Amino acid sequence: MGTGASASKPKPTPRTTYTANHRMNAVYGRIYGDPGRRMNFTSLSRHYLDRPKTPPSSDKQLKVVNLDLNLEENKRAHHTDEYELDNLIIRRGQSFDVSLTFDRPYNEDNDHISLEMRIGEPPHKISKGTIAKVPFSEANPYTWSAKMLSKDGNSITLRMFSPADICIGQYKFGVEIKTGEGEDAVKSQHHMKDPIYVLFNPWCKDDTVYMEDELEKEEYVLNDKGIIYYGRAKHPRPRPWAFGQFDKEVVMAVMSLLEGGMQLWARKNAVLVARAMSAVTNAPDDGGVLIGNWSGNYSDGTSPTRWTGSIAILEQYYKTNESVKYGQCWVFSGVLTTVLRCLGIPTRSVTNFSSAHDTDGSLTIDNHVGASGELYNDDSVWNYHVWNECWMTRPDLPTGYGGWQAVDATPQETSEGFFWTGPAPLAAIKQGHVYLPFDTGFVFAEVNADRINWSCTETHDGYVDMVPIGTKKSVIGKCISTKSVSSDDRNDITHLYKHPEGSEEERMAVRCAVEHGSRPYTYDQDEKPDDVQLQIETEDEVMIGQNFDVKILVANKSSEKRTVDIYISTHACHYTGVPIRNSKLKAEHIDLIIDGNEDLDVKMKVSSADYLDKLVDQTCMKIYTMAKVRETNQMWSDQDDFSVETPDLVLDSEGEIRVGKPFKVKVYLKNPLPKKLTSCTLAVEGPGLQRPKVIKTRDVSPNGELKTEIQLSPRKAGKRVVIVSFDADQISQITGSLNIQVKK
C-alpha cells in the first residue's frame, strides 16, 4: 500500500478479554490443585507497582561520565606503546588499569558495577567465551576478574585481570551499573565505541607463547626491522627488511586476516593461529595477501625484488581487499613475520640454503637417469628457501616438542587440501619424527633429504626398474641462517634442524623419516661402489659481469687406467632450481684418460658474454655434470647451484637526527655492467621513519656511478633503519640499509 494515503482498518472480531488477573489465577489454581482458588493479583501487583522505583536522591542512579583506559601507562606495561593506534592494546594474562568517573560518589553498598568484554558478533554467550561479565572480586589470573585500586571523589580506579588462554582479537568494552536491590534496582550501561585489542603474551608464563629471555623478546616480538638472507650457502647475503608490525594500516590488515580466516574458538590457540596465518598470507586458497610468481614476468604487478618491507603489501591488501602482485619466498616470509609479531607470537625469518622440494613424499630428492643418459625429475633443489619459525609450546603433542616451530607461507604443496605449512616442531624434524603434525615430513626433506640418482630401465612388461647409482648424503640443508639477537650478524642454526652430517644420530634420523615416507624400502637396496669419483667445484664469489670457471675434480680409486666421458653444462635458472626456457649458457664434452690412483681436474670457462643477457632476476645458474666410465659402464651425475653477485648500495648521513626535522641520506652505486642501466628506481622505507615510497632516478652509464640524496623526516625517536632498494631493467636485487639514532 502507498505511504501517502491512510486507510481505515477492519474492526476485529469480538472476543473474550483475558486480564492478567484471569491468567495468573488460572496458573495459581493449577499449582494448588484447586481451580476455584482465587487471589486478587491486580491489587497485589498494584501494591508493588505503586512503590517508587527511583532510589532516594542521595542514592540516585549511578552513571559513568568518563571512562579512562590509561592508554599511556597500560600500553607501556604491555609492551604495546609502539603500536600506532589510539586504541588500548593489551596482552592476555596481564592486568590493566581502568579509571571511571561518575556523576556522584560511588557507594559500595548500593552501587554494583560489572565490567564487560565482548568479542565477535552477537549473540554473545558466556559458555562460548564470547562475553565476560566481570564483577569486583579478588584477583584471579585464571579467569576474568577485577578489583578496586583507589577511590577519589566521584572517581575510582580498577585493575582488571584477563586469563592467559582467551581469544585474541578485537573486544568491545563496557560498564554495567546496578543501583539498588531487587525490583527497586535500576541499571545504566556505558559501552566504548572503539575496540580493545588483545594479543598473545610472551611475557606471561601461563601463555603458550611465553619466552623467558628478554633480549629474545626484544628481537622476535618488538623489533620492527630485520634481515632476510639469500644467495647461496658459500656466500649468504643479507637483505634488509622492514617488518613494520606496529604500523596502523598493518594492524588493521592483520586483524582483518585474523577475523576473516579463523573461527573464534581457534583464536585461543597459538598453534592454530600460526597455521591459519600461513594460509591467508598466500592467495591460492582464499584470496589471501600475496600472489606468488616465479615466471620472471611481473609487468602487471610489482617485482618481488622491489619490495623492501611488509607495510606497503599489507596496506595495499587491506585497502583494496585484493591479493597483491607479486611475492616469492622471502616476501611471504617477511609478511608472515610481520603478521605473527603483530599478534604477539615470537617469530623470525629463516633461510635454508640448498633447500629441497620433495614432490612425492618419499623424503628423498630423486634424480632419474634414463638408459641414454637423459635426466628427468619432478623434485628440485632451490638455491635457498625462506620460511619462518615461531616460538610456542605444543600442548597437542607429547612433552619435548615445544620451542621453535617451522611455519611456511610460500605456496608449494598442499596440506589437508590447503596451501599452508606447519607449525612443525624443530625437535621432531631433527629426530626424523615426521609423523607428528604439522607437515614435519615436508620440512624434514627440505633440510635433510638425501639426493639419490636412480638408473631407470624400462622392463619388457612396461615397468621401470630403478637402481640407485649414487647418493649424496650431505648436500641438502646447508647454512640455515637467521638474524642474530641484538645484532645484524648472521646466526647459523643448522644444528637445530639436524645432527652433524654423517653422524650416527643424523643417519638414524634420515632412516626413521624415510621409513614413514612413500618409498620406505629406499635404503634396502645396495649401491655399487664407484671406483671413479667426481665432484663439482665453483668459485665462492663472482661479481656480475666477471668470467668464472667450473671445475670437475676426478679421482680414480682403482689401480687401473680409466676413460671417462664428461659432459658439463650451465643453465640460467630461477632461484628455485628450475631452468628457464632456452636456458643453456654453455656446454662442453670432455674425454679424460686417468691413470690408476690418480687425481685430476678439468675446467670449463664461462665468460660474462655467455650469461649476461640470459639471467633472470636472481642471477642464478644451475651446473649439470654427467659422466660415464667406459671400462665399467659406471654412470655418474650431479648438479650444483651457482649465482653471480650484485653490488650493495652504500648509504650515509651526516649530523644529528631529530624527530620531525628533515635530514638527507646519501646513496651511492657503482654499475658493475658494461652497459647502461635504464628505468632506474629507488624504493625507500623505514618503520617509524619513512612510509614506503618509490623514487625515479636517472640512468646510470656503463660501469658508471649513481650518486643521489633522499630527504626523510623521522616520526619516532629511537633506533631506526633506512632501507633502500635499487632496480633497473638490466639488474635488480641491489639493496642497502643504514642504522640511525633519532633523538626527540
Side-chain angles (χ1 to χ4, degrees):
M1 183 176 291
T3 58
S6 60
S8 59
K9 296 180 181 179
K11 294 182 180 180
T13 303
R15 62 179 181 177
T16 305
T17 302
Y18 290 94
T19 65
N21 200 48
H22 288 129
R23 287 192 292 269
M24 291 301 295
N25 268 306
V27 173
Y28 187 72
R30 284 197 296 272
I31 291 174
Y32 286 94
D34 181 3
R37 193 167 183 171
R38 294 287 185 271
M39 177 176 284
N40 191 340
F41 283 95
T42 302
S43 60
L44 183 65
S45 61
R46 186 179 298 117
H47 170 73
Y48 288 97
L49 290 172
D50 290 344
R51 294 177 62 184
K53 281 189 174 182
T54 306
S57 58
S58 60
D59 290 330
K60 67 177 182 178
Q61 179 180 346
L62 185 68
K63 294 182 179 179
V64 176
V65 296
N66 186 55
L67 196 160
D68 184 359
L69 294 177
N70 300 305
L71 290 178
E72 185 175 344
E73 296 83 357
N74 282 327
K75 292 174 81 170
R76 186 168 56 247
H78 285 251
H79 306 277
T80 60
D81 47 321
E82 283 288 319
Y83 284 84
E84 298 175 358
L85 269 73
D86 294 331
N87 304 64
L88 177 59
I89 303 174
I90 61 173
R91 301 186 187 274
R92 66 184 193 177
Q94 186 174 339
S95 64
F96 60 98
D97 296 345
V98 179
S99 298
L100 301 175
T101 301
F102 307 108
D103 57 347
R104 64 169 173 80
Y106 164 64
N107 183 337
E108 295 185 38
D109 296 329
N110 203 45
D111 299 321
H112 307 285
I113 300 176
S114 176
L115 308 178
E116 184 179 277
M117 294 287 280
R118 292 174 290 132
I119 187 171
E121 297 298 324
H124 297 99
K125 295 184 178 181
I126 294 177
S127 61
K128 292 187 175 182
T130 58
I131 185 171
K133 300 274 190 178
V134 189
F136 292 179
S137 62
E138 292 299 318
N140 184 347
Y142 302 106
T143 186
W144 284 102
S145 59
K147 69 175 183 179
M148 191 184 331
L149 292 181
S150 64
K151 178 180 177 182
D152 182 15
N154 287 8
S155 299
I156 63 172
T157 298
L158 311 173
R159 178 156 293 169
M160 195 164 179
F161 300 84
S162 67
D165 60 353
I166 59 172
C167 299
I168 63 165
Q170 300 183 64
Y171 282 77
K172 290 288 188 178
F173 180 70
V175 181
E176 185 177 277
I177 304 173
K178 184 179 77 170
T179 300
E181 301 289 347
E183 294 187 9
D184 294 338
V186 289
K187 294 181 179 180
S188 67
Q189 292 183 334
H190 182 90
H191 291 285
M192 291 197 64
K193 180 180 178 181
D194 296 328
I196 293 176
Y197 295 93
V198 178
L199 311 176
F200 291 107
N201 193 351
W203 284 264
C204 175
K205 291 184 178 181
D206 294 322
D207 200 312
T208 54
V209 302
Y210 172 69
M211 179 174 265
E212 185 174 6
D213 188 275
E214 288 298 323
L215 290 178
E216 289 187 342
K217 289 194 284 274
E218 287 284 336
E219 182 68 49
Y220 301 131
V221 182
L222 300 181
N223 196 349
D224 58 0
K225 54 194 176 296
I227 291 172
I228 300 174
Y229 292 91
Y230 72 103
R232 56 194 183 115
K234 288 184 178 180
H235 189 213
R237 301 196 64 192
R239 179 198 303 275
W241 193 265
F243 296 119
Q245 66 267 32
F246 307 126
D247 183 88
K248 180 178 179 180
E249 302 295 339
V250 167
V251 178
M252 301 307 293
V254 170
M255 288 298 161
S256 71
L257 290 173
L258 181 72
E259 295 181 350
M262 296 197 71
Q263 295 184 5
L264 268 174
W265 63 268
R267 291 194 226 160
K268 299 180 178 182
N269 189 324
V271 174
L272 299 182
V273 169
R275 185 161 175 79
M277 293 302 100
S278 78
V280 297
T281 300
N282 63 61
D285 301 318
D286 41 26
V289 177
L290 266 173
I291 297 174
N293 185 345
W294 288 264
S295 71
N297 179 9
Y298 316 112
S299 58
D300 61 339
T302 300
S303 167
T305 58
R306 289 196 180 191
W307 299 116
T308 53
S310 306
I311 296 174
I313 297 169
L314 286 165
E315 181 179 5
Q316 180 179 331
Y317 176 76
Y318 178 65
K319 289 183 175 180
T320 65
N321 200 30
E322 294 181 356
S323 301
V324 178
K325 301 174 181 179
Y326 289 106
Q328 292 178 359
C329 69
W330 72 92
V331 187
F332 285 105
S333 174
V335 171
L336 186 56
T337 295
T338 299
V339 169
L340 295 181
R341 285 187 185 181
C342 181
L343 294 174
I345 300 177
T347 307
R348 59 190 185 186
S349 290
V350 173
T351 302
N352 177 41
F353 293 93
S354 297
S355 186
H357 182 177
D358 174 30
T359 58
D360 62 0
S362 65
L363 304 183
T364 57
I365 302 305
D366 304 304
N367 299 322
H368 303 94
V369 183
S372 302
E374 68 275 15
L375 185 68
Y376 53 97
N377 182 35
D378 289 328
D379 294 342
S380 61
V381 179
W382 297 29
N383 284 29
Y384 67 93
H385 180 49
V386 188
W387 59 72
N388 298 84
E389 291 173 6
C390 49
W391 179 271
M392 60 187 65
T393 61
R394 289 298 299 267
D396 57 319
L397 299 179
T399 303
Y401 294 103
W404 289 114
Q405 315 284 317
V407 185
D408 194 348
T410 301
Q412 297 181 84
E413 301 290 330
T414 58
S415 169
E416 300 174 330
F418 296 95
F419 283 102
W420 54 8
T421 301
L426 266 60
I429 296 167
K430 186 172 184 176
Q431 301 301 335
H433 297 167
V434 298
Y435 43 83
L436 294 175
F438 293 94
D439 312 306
T440 306
F442 185 77
V443 183
F444 176 90
E446 290 181 301
V447 301
N448 206 16
D450 287 348
R451 196 169 74 197
I452 303 178
N453 293 329
W454 300 86
S455 175
C456 301
T457 307
E458 188 172 351
T459 62
H460 66 280
D461 54 1
Y463 289 94
V464 175
D465 186 22
M466 294 173 53
V467 178
I469 58 174
T471 300
K472 297 286 186 179
K473 299 180 180 179
S474 58
V475 296
I476 300 298
K478 313 295 287 185
C479 200
I480 304 175
S481 303
T482 191
K483 178 186 175 298
S484 294
V485 173
S486 305
S487 85
D488 289 343
D489 295 337
R490 186 180 64 85
N491 181 19
D492 192 310
I493 56 171
T494 307
H495 65 282
L496 297 181
Y497 283 86
K498 55 185 178 180
H499 298 283
E501 293 283 8
S503 66
E504 182 178 350
E505 294 87 350
E506 188 263 345
R507 289 289 88 198
M508 287 178 61
V510 170
R511 287 185 173 271
C512 175
V514 171
E515 286 173 359
H516 290 85
S518 62
R519 196 183 295 126
Y521 56 81
T522 294
Y523 293 105
D524 294 342
Q525 298 170 270
D526 295 327
E527 293 182 31
K528 297 178 181 179
D530 297 333
D531 59 8
V532 177
Q533 298 178 359
L534 298 93
Q535 180 180 336
I536 302 173
E537 189 174 275
T538 56
E539 300 175 44
D540 288 347
E541 297 180 35
V542 177
M543 180 60 64
I544 188 170
Q546 295 179 344
N547 306 331
F548 64 91
D549 295 337
V550 177
K551 184 187 294 185
I552 308 298
L553 306 178
V554 185
N556 184 0
K557 298 300 183 181
S558 74
S559 58
E560 301 176 2
K561 184 181 294 185
R562 294 287 186 250
T563 305
V564 187
D565 299 326
I566 302 173
Y567 175 74
I568 311 170
S569 63
T570 58
H571 298 253
C573 69
H574 301 288
Y575 80 97
T576 58
V578 178
I580 63 175
R581 184 175 297 178
N582 301 319
S583 65
K584 186 179 292 185
L585 305 176
K586 189 170 184 179
E588 286 186 5
H589 283 92
I590 301 171
D591 293 334
L592 178 68
I593 298 175
I594 182 170
D595 290 331
N597 300 310
E598 184 179 16
D599 294 345
L600 293 176
D601 62 68
V602 296
K603 294 180 181 179
M604 181 179 74
K605 294 186 176 296
V606 182
S607 70
S608 61
D610 292 325
Y611 68 79
L612 265 185
D613 295 329
K614 298 180 181 179
L615 297 182
V616 290
D617 49 7
Q618 295 279 319
T619 67
C620 294
M621 303 175 218
K622 184 77 76 173
I623 300 169
Y624 295 99
T625 305
M626 299 182 64
K628 183 175 183 179
V629 181
R630 295 181 188 176
E631 290 81 2
T632 63
N633 287 324
Q634 172 197 332
M635 295 184 64
W636 176 88
S637 68
D638 201 3
Q639 56 185 276
D640 195 13
D641 302 315
F642 183 74
S643 60
V644 288
E645 311 289 343
T646 54
D648 292 325
L649 284 178
V650 180
L651 308 182
D652 192 20
S653 68
E654 297 177 355
E656 188 176 71
I657 302 173
R658 290 189 174 274
V659 172
K661 293 188 176 181
F663 73 101
K664 292 182 178 179
V665 174
K666 297 178 180 179
V667 181
Y668 173 81
L669 171 67
K670 171 69 174 177
N671 179 7
L673 302 181
K675 59 175 66 177
K676 181 190 289 188
L677 304 183
T678 58
S679 302
C680 302
T681 60
L682 293 170
V684 187
E685 75 172 294
L689 188 65
Q690 172 63 55
R691 293 193 63 78
K693 67 177 181 179
V694 177
I695 303 169
K696 292 182 179 180
T697 188
R698 64 175 178 82
D699 294 347
V700 184
S701 60
N703 297 118
E705 297 178 334
L706 171 67
K707 294 181 180 179
T708 188
E709 291 182 342
I710 302 171
Q711 182 168 293
L712 306 175
S713 184
R715 306 193 317 271
K716 290 183 178 181
K719 294 180 180 180
R720 302 294 165 190
V721 63
V722 182
I723 300 172
V724 183
S725 174
F726 175 85
D727 198 271
D729 289 341
Q730 296 75 18
I731 194 170
S732 63
Q733 196 161 260
I734 298 178
T735 60
S737 64
L738 177 65
N739 293 315
I740 61 173
Q741 183 69 40
V742 180
K743 297 182 179 180
K744 293 183 178 179

